[in-house]
Amino acid sequence: MKRIFFLDGSGPPFGHMLLALGGYLGGFDGNFLWNRIGAEYSSNVPVWSLRLLPALTGALLVPMAYQILLELGFSHCAATGAALLILIENALITQARLMLLESVLIFFNLLAVLSYLKFANSQKQRPFSLRWWFWLTLTGMACSCAVGVKYVGVFTYLLVLAVAGVHAWHLIGDRTLSHVRVLCHLLARAAALLVVPALMYLSFFYVHLTLLCRSGPHDQIMSSAFQASLEGGLARITQGQPLEVAYGSQVTLKNVFGKPVPCWLHSHQSTYPMIYENGRGSSHQQQVTCYPFKDVNNWWIVKDPGRHPLVVSSPPRPVRHGDVVQLVHGMTTRFLNTHDVAAPLSPHSQEVSCYVDYNISMPSQNLWRLDIVNRESDTEVWKTILSEVRLVHVNTSAVLKLSGAHLPDWGFRQLEVVGEKLSRGYHESMVWNVEEHRYGKSQEQKERELELHSPAQMDVSRNLSFMARFLELQWRMLTVKSDDSEHKYSSSPLDWVTLDTSIAYWLHPRTSAQIHLLGNVVIWASAGLATAVYALLFFWYLLRRRRCIRDLPEDCWLRWVLAGALCAGGWAVNYLPFFLMEKTLFLYHYLPALTFQILLLPVVLQHVADHLCRSPLLRSVFGSLVVAWYSCACHVFNTLRPLTYGDKSLSPGELRALRWKDSWDILIRKY
């Protein structure tokens, strides 16, 4: 709302933009600190409009579940059952009533599946009709929206692509179609399911980066070029800087890797200890570190080894890829140096220092070769902000590198900088870029110090393309380290299936009314059982078909397989990957998988009634059991209703009774 750049490790920006659109339409000005869960909203927060989208998408899950079952070829009764189960699932209701994105994600997941089913059914009737193109294109758009809300939406996208790929493979084998016709089918699917989602995904970030044009607290994790493209912040500092680095330039060098924190090459008058705590010795020369704050000691002067002056000549002589330079620390006039002495915390790497002549047999080794990593030619000029460079030591072939280790108190807890042998491979921590830059004019040291203290006055924002900013932001989103600390409501994927966890979302400050993320235990247990039954029946039918025994007519078998691929497959692809994720997990991460599992439940029930209950009596008994089971699910929904809506004060005894295991015991006693 304030157009300030931020980086959210939870995923792409589309979901946040939709919520922000609701806030914008409701007149929200962005002036509220979202720093404490459960805090009362001020009068300027349009809660209704901010909650409208999650509530609307959550409500639309009900008719979409109905439509999906119909498109799969199942009865209106099964479709109504699926819609009812979605309607009375307490966890889905709770998540949809708050400003959360799970209901939006599930909506686009189901929309992608429904659109593809409608497209597949249109394929049998009128391929390449307007209806056919509409549903095919909508499938791709819905998949892109799902990924744009949260990265986990890619699982459903891959599932739809897999089903579409199988159908396309069968289409290739259809000898009734000409080669041209088959090619047109494949191109249409590729355009709608690959090109359209990619273009839409790019458009989300284009709008996102266009809106967030102002500098903010999350800038530091981005590259200098990205920061300079934002209004304020670094863009204000770097405005008017010269583009090309020349001999005599005064520069600050930022490490491109930016981990564990963004930092700049730094030195100060303190020296390395003569003897480290582990007994190893050092050169006792001036410390060189990486400092995570802007400071006058971050300034360095680029010097021509063959000339003495530390000022830029007229005209300036630009530094190019492959040139050998010396780096002089601006405030102490000592040369950046490395030698065959072990680094303080990385003994397999070389110590980096600013050379102090102690008149002993340790000559200075201060020549560095410039290697522009992102150069377009071998005569590339070193550019402010835009050029990513490695500094290779001429004498030892070591590369200036940020090790990331924090020095002890004698190094003021700053980050260690080392010389790393090139033979150990390339790493982003070896890459630096010039962030602040001015042409040095003062030859005298006192005048130069005043010059270094004065603020620098190149607008490079227009040189950074949208694709460059998109790729950098995408990479940062995927690699930013999330908070892995344990949370009181965090849980493991195994806890989700058994519903052995919950989340307390809200507690009324004066009464005992509260909102918890709790699932309907009857639906969760039955959905898990239905998945197991489907898997057993599928493999049983598959084995018998291998023996040429056809228990099901071919059309029923294909419908059974497709329903399993989308529903059981949707559950698997949205659940199993969480076992591989190293992040803090919560119960709501299971809701997309649960939704697909719920859709499978009426499928299994209808299959059992139609194909396994062969006698009318057995079918009647089974139908009565299903009705009783639906009644149990409705009863549990009503029992948990106070914790779903938070509209009723509860006594301590009532709260204990609403724990799912206790309510399960109550249910067993009741029925």
Side-chain angles (χ1 to χ4, degrees), residues 127-178:
F128 297 104
S129 64
L130 187 62
R131 172 186 171 88
W132 185 90
W133 276 109
F134 173 78
W135 290 116
L136 177 59
T137 306
L138 186 59
T139 302
M141 294 173 66
C143 289
S144 182
C145 290
V147 179
V149 172
K150 288 199 172 186
Y151 282 127
V152 291
V154 76
F155 301 139
T156 301
Y157 180 30
L158 293 175
L159 175 68
V160 172
L161 283 181
V163 174
V166 172
H167 287 172
W169 182 253
H170 290 310
L171 197 69
I172 294 172
D174 188 349
R175 300 300 299 272
T176 64
L177 299 176
S178 66

Side-chain angles (χ1 to χ4, degrees), residues 439-510:
Y439 280 166
K441 300 175 182 178
S442 304
Q443 182 62 35
E444 295 297 326
Q445 178 61 14
K446 288 188 176 181
E447 295 177 4
R448 190 184 304 122
E449 289 182 13
L450 292 174
E451 193 174 45
L452 291 171
H453 277 96
S454 64
Q457 290 265 308
M458 169 193 114
D459 187 0
V460 298
S461 60
R462 292 170 182 80
N463 293 318
L464 194 65
S465 65
F466 160 70
M467 283 305 299
R469 292 195 296 159
F470 163 75
L471 291 173
E472 180 179 345
L473 181 57
Q474 189 70 66
W475 176 249
R476 295 296 183 189
M477 283 182 169
L478 290 170
T479 58
V480 65
K481 187 173 178 60
S482 58
D483 184 11
D484 294 331
S485 59
E486 283 295 317
H487 190 280
K488 65 183 294 187
Y489 293 117
S490 63
S491 53
S492 71
L494 289 176
D495 295 329
W496 304 340
V497 178
T498 58
L499 199 54
D500 200 19
T501 182
S502 65
I503 303 175
Y505 275 159
W506 173 79
L507 176 65
H508 195 283
R510 290 176 295 277

Side-chain angles (χ1 to χ4, degrees), residues 19 65 72 86 200 254 288 295 320 337 351 409 481 487 493 524 529 544 596 600 610 622 630 634 648-649:
L19 291 181
L72 283 170
I86 296 291
M200 280 195 65
K254 182 182 180 184
V288 172
D295 186 84
R320 300 180 183 275
N337 179 84
E351 175 193 86
D409 291 340
K481 187 173 178 60
H487 190 280
W524 287 52
L529 179 61
R544 288 174 63 82
F596 282 103
L600 184 64
D610 292 348
F622 181 75
Y630 269 102
C634 291
K648 177 184 175 184
S649 297

